[in-house]
Amino acid sequence: MIEEQDYLAKQNLHKLSDIGEFGWIDFLKQNQGNLHDFVKEGIGDDAAVLTFPESSKVVWSSDMLVEGIHFDLSYTPLKYLGYKSIAVNVSDICAMYSTPIAVLVSIAVSNRFSIEALNELYQGINLACEEYKISLIGGDTTSSRAGLMISISIIGYNDTNDIVKRSGASVNDLVCVTGDLGAAYAGLQLLQREKKVFEENPTVQPDLSSFEYVVGRQLRPTAKLGLINILKEKGLIPSAMIDISDGLGSELHHLCKANNFGAKIFSDRLPIDFQTKSVAELFYTDVEQYAIYGGEDYELLFTVNPKYFEEIKSIEEISIIGYTVNEELGIVIETKEGDEIEIKNSGWDSFI
Ligand code: ADP
Ligand code: MG
């Protein structure tokens, strides 16, 4: 205990016990931001209170981030981590074709964590809450002896009865993805390499300036709420949808399993950024492996009735990458040479 106090005091930093329980709740209240219309009570009472329009459905999910498993503090700025922890939760609500409203954020922190560090974390949380127009309405705070843990519960709603599930698609539907694939994994490769270099020689300064996009995709992914709103405005309701957290291959398997069908994907249709290609070259890897098996892109994978082909094609951020097929045909990718290769059911964790 004394050791930790010394450690923080030496750097002129403050620990949670310096501000006490009331100080901490005041700090959290300052971070609450604007309350969503549905929120009647936010931080400060025993529980938050919300009201929903009568006809709406409540959509509720949670996602947890654990130090050493989901993030590495040696190269992850806390502000980005705060942002990412909210974005990955919003992404799950988006994947249900629904609108996020509020989050409960529970954290377990070691005594070595200063108030100043927590402030950075909450700056990122705030930024994401503002961006996605959601409220921080409460949470819990406890100490940890095994690193930082962030557990978030997100609540959203859907009042038009058009929730999109993983199931609901038909054979011959178009298979679509938003944005581009493999970038977050490319960013991770670079960050892990730089960490190794730094550990071997701390005087070497990393230069990632030509890879800002992919590093940003790893450290600060965004949820595709804007695109959900575009689809809603156009009245385009996907037949099935999932967000890409573990990689296209893994999510395709989830979708196909939920619908009892297969899928045929075309490798030349996979949206891949040029920086992702450069990183794959640097690591002597086929960039399609990044796009299929690299995780954490938080793009959306969805199927849609082919009658929407022209409309979907006209949306710049969406790529049609293939179509659904009968189950017996499996889940395959057609290469540029015309060969068919099975897409395996593995995500980023087993790929590494
Ligand atoms: P209780 O003892 O009833 O669990 P707490 O002292 O844990 O109450 O929390 C007081 C208030 O602060 C509650 O409104 C709670 O939701 C909120 N809160 C506690 N920790 C966090 C956190 N890490 N992030 C956001 N809100 C929090
Ligand atoms: Mg509590």
Side-chain angles (χ1 to χ4, degrees), residues 202-273:
T203 59
V204 176
Q205 284 295 315
D207 179 16
L208 296 171
S209 53
S210 46
F211 293 112
E212 262 172 26
Y213 175 69
V214 292
V215 170
R217 286 288 305 254
Q218 168 59 221
L219 295 178
R220 218 201 79 149
T222 56
K224 303 302 170 294
L225 184 58
L227 215 62
I228 291 295
N229 291 334
I230 291 177
L231 290 178
K232 285 192 173 197
E233 273 164 28
K234 291 180 180 282
L236 287 167
I237 307 176
S239 47
M241 182 153 59
I242 189 168
D243 69 326
I244 305 182
S245 52
D246 292 339
L248 176 67
S250 170
E251 315 303 358
L252 259 179
H253 274 266
H254 282 303
L255 266 195
C256 289
K257 187 161 185 265
N259 291 284
N260 300 317
F261 58 43
K264 183 164 177 173
I265 304 300
F266 297 90
S267 78
D268 59 359
R269 298 284 180 85
L270 292 174
I272 302 174
D273 188 81

Side-chain angles (χ1 to χ4, degrees), residues 76-122:
T76 310
L78 284 164
K79 192 171 172 182
Y80 285 10
L81 182 63
Y83 184 96
K84 179 173 181 171
S85 63
I86 298 293
V88 303
N89 276 276
V90 171
S91 180
D92 280 322
I93 300 294
C94 289
M96 300 300 285
Y97 206 62
S98 299
T99 308
I101 298 168
V103 284
L104 292 167
V105 176
S106 296
I107 53 173
V109 280
S110 89
N111 286 340
R112 293 176 81 88
F113 245 78
S114 65
I115 291 293
E116 287 78 2
L118 287 170
N119 190 34
E120 275 178 49
L121 182 76
Y122 273 85

